[in-house]
Amino acid sequence: MNYINCGNYKTSYKDDFALYQTTFSKLMIYGFTILLFFVPLVANEYFLYIFNLIFISVIGAVGLNILTGATGLISLGHGAFIGVGAYAAGYIFNTLHVNFIVAILFGGLMTALVGSIFGIPSLRLKGLYLSIATLAAQFIIEFLFVRLESITGGVTGLSVDYASFFGISIDNDFKFYYLGLIFCIVMTLFATNIMRTKIGRAFLSIRDNYIAAEVMGVNIFQYKILSFAISSFYAGIAGGLWTFYTTIITPEHFTIGVSIQYLSMIIIGGLGKILGSIFGAIFMTLLPESIKFISDYFSQFYPNITQLFAFIREGVFGLVIILFLMFEPEGLYRRWKLIKAYWKLWPFSY
């Protein structure tokens, strides 16, 4: 009798929670990661610029997804937390002249501290009320960015020198690509493993039913603060990378619009899923570039369309979010899961 291999047959919890579900998926992930290191050899500066933006966005989106998607705590202040990491990294780099990696990590730790402070109201607040509290944090931090001129440079911004590694200045997209890629891989793997530990399961239990989680012995306050700290740490790392990529940071880089954009990433990608954060970051990075490409094409027929680019982009963003909420509420991750399930279960349709 001949048998057809269909699906994945697991016989233990260890196999079910394995990082790589199959040997094929392991080889594909390793192969794709290795391939990414060769991209700068064939890509031009524009594509490297897009990749660098994606790397920074992925780190920030993964952090927000741990807080909002995994723990169920809505945050509208993620853009401001990214700014805290950016300014902290730039300030310590300029004043103490430390290594840029130390500066980035310092930015992450400072942001984790600030995020923990603003996460304290999460013990009493949830849902809409918590989102309003984080929105207040966004405006408070934005105000400090402008007023603390001795640290942030005020409205004129803060400038830093290019980072250097063993005497090699990271002063172009080609060189920054490898820095961003390595940070993105490390931070993504760290988040993936967090979600497979006791901490990750506590986050999920708080999201699903915080009363039942507390009855089972989960320290609600401790894990909520920890979720804010981890999420803010990721935001700080993303902000630190942004500092050494642009070498100049201003308050306009970290507005409420940035917070909404990151929230859109995890909604479109898939709440509570690390891979969904990656999908969402890629989608939301490529979307404005695609709109710009289309508007540039039609500008030869309608010259005034370039002046309306900002309004068109915001309108398309809103429309895309509405469409995803209506027709694909679980995000791009669910679509990817369905595609994988089709090939795993073939030739059966269930």
Side-chain angles (χ1 to χ4, degrees):
M1 182 181 295
N2 295 324
Y3 294 95
I4 299 177
N5 292 327
C6 177
N8 294 323
Y9 181 64
K10 302 294 192 305
T11 58
S12 67
Y13 286 112
K14 180 181 178 181
D15 293 336
D16 197 39
F17 284 95
L19 188 60
Y20 305 107
Q21 293 294 320
T22 62
T23 303
F24 178 75
S25 64
K26 182 178 181 179
L27 293 175
M28 288 297 293
I29 292 173
Y30 283 167
F32 179 73
T33 303
I34 294 172
L35 185 64
L36 285 175
F37 281 91
F38 291 95
V39 168
L41 302 179
V42 295
N44 57 30
E45 290 188 2
Y46 175 73
F47 282 104
L48 292 178
Y49 160 76
I50 297 297
F51 272 103
N52 291 335
L53 292 183
I54 289 174
F55 294 149
I56 297 174
S57 298
V58 165
I59 295 174
V62 167
L64 182 59
N65 217 348
I66 291 175
L67 178 66
T68 301
T71 318
L73 304 175
I74 302 176
S75 173
L76 293 177
H78 205 64
F81 293 144
I82 292 175
V84 172
Y87 279 112
Y91 179 77
I92 193 174
F93 183 77
N94 285 343
T95 55
L96 300 182
H97 306 289
V98 298
N99 183 274
F100 76 96
I101 296 179
V102 175
I104 293 174
L105 294 177
F106 175 79
L109 292 174
M110 284 299 298
T111 312
L113 176 62
V114 173
S116 300
I117 295 173
F118 282 104
I120 293 176
S122 66
L123 179 63
R124 296 293 182 183
L125 303 176
K126 59 181 182 293
L128 178 62
Y129 299 100
L130 180 59
S131 64
I132 296 299
T134 56
L135 181 63
Q138 169 74 39
F139 291 132
I140 291 172
I141 295 175
E142 277 190 53
F143 175 80
L144 294 177
F145 287 161
V146 176
R147 294 299 180 181
L148 296 179
E149 297 184 7
S150 60
I151 298 176
T152 65
V155 293
T156 58
L158 180 68
S159 299
V160 299
D161 295 329
Y162 284 109
S164 61
F165 189 73
F166 289 105
I168 302 175
S169 179
I170 306 176
D171 55 359
N172 56 41
D173 291 298
F174 180 88
K175 297 175 182 177
F176 188 87
Y177 176 93
Y178 291 103
L179 175 65
L181 175 60
I182 292 173
F183 263 95
C184 185
I185 292 174
V186 172
M187 299 299 288
T188 302
L189 284 175
F190 184 66
T192 302
N193 283 284
I194 285 178
M195 299 310 300
R196 298 167 64 237
T197 63
K198 174 184 176 182
I199 296 174
R201 292 192 293 271
F203 290 164
L204 295 175
S205 65
I206 293 172
R207 179 197 65 185
D208 294 338
N209 193 320
Y210 73 96
I211 296 177
E214 189 171 20
V215 170
M216 294 174 63
V218 176
N219 189 323
I220 301 296
F221 180 71
Q222 175 184 326
Y223 281 105
K224 281 186 176 182
I225 296 299
L226 182 59
S227 180
F228 265 98
I230 294 175
S231 174
S232 300
F233 178 77
Y234 272 76
I237 296 295
L241 287 172
W242 177 259
T243 295
F244 291 105
Y245 183 51
T246 62
T247 67
I248 183 169
I249 46 179
T250 61
E252 288 77 14
H253 292 153
F254 315 108
T255 60
I256 181 63
V258 177
S259 297
I260 295 175
Q261 184 177 2
Y262 273 95
L263 195 59
S264 303
M265 289 180 188
I266 63 174
I267 292 174
I268 291 173
L271 288 172
K273 306 298 181 182
I274 301 300
L275 188 58
S277 304
I278 299 175
F279 288 155
I282 294 173
F283 184 90
M284 291 301 293
T285 302
L286 294 180
L287 182 60
E289 297 298 326
S290 302
I291 298 173
K292 184 179 180 181
F293 176 80
I294 295 173
S295 64
D296 289 342
Y297 173 78
F298 282 102
S299 63
Q300 56 184 331
F301 307 105
Y302 306 98
N304 294 330
I305 196 172
T306 55
Q307 301 176 3
L308 302 175
F309 172 73
F311 301 100
I312 295 175
R313 182 182 63 181
E314 298 300 328
V316 171
F317 278 176
L319 179 62
V320 166
I321 294 173
I322 292 173
L323 292 176
F324 266 93
L325 291 175
M326 291 176 58
F327 301 105
E328 199 65 81
E330 296 184 34
L332 294 172
Y333 175 81
R334 179 178 180 273
R335 186 56 49 186
W336 169 251
K337 192 174 180 180
L338 291 175
I339 293 173
K340 289 200 305 178
Y342 172 83
W343 293 106
K344 287 180 181 179
L345 301 177
W346 188 88
F348 304 106
S349 60
Y350 52 85

